[in-house]
Amino acid sequence: MTPTTQTALFIAVVGVAGIFVFMSFFYLIILALDKYLPYQEEKPEGEFIEEISEESEE
């Protein structure tokens, strides 16, 4: 193998490893955000108004 081919192969391996590390880190950030900021489904506007009117009647 020529030195140029070895250098190119080394650069390719470092690039692929870097992408793998970045994607793993990004996935862990997404999991952490999902754990600490869970999705909450919003209620439709009508239900919200009904709850307010019920509270004011009491």
Side-chain angles (χ1 to χ4, degrees):
M1 226 188 267
T2 65
T4 306
T5 308
Q6 287 179 338
T7 304
L9 186 59
F10 175 74
I11 291 171
V13 168
V14 168
V16 170
I19 290 172
F20 180 76
V21 168
F22 170 76
M23 293 302 289
S24 300
F25 182 68
F26 194 69
Y27 179 70
L28 291 174
I29 289 174
I30 290 172
L31 287 179
L33 285 173
D34 192 36
K35 182 177 180 180
Y36 293 114
L37 302 171
Y39 175 73
Q40 295 177 355
E41 198 168 318
E42 295 181 14
K43 293 182 179 181
E45 185 92 18
E47 290 181 19
F48 183 69
I49 293 173
E50 289 173 6
E51 288 179 7
I52 292 175
S53 62
E54 288 175 4
E55 289 176 2
S56 60
E57 289 174 3
E58 293 175 0

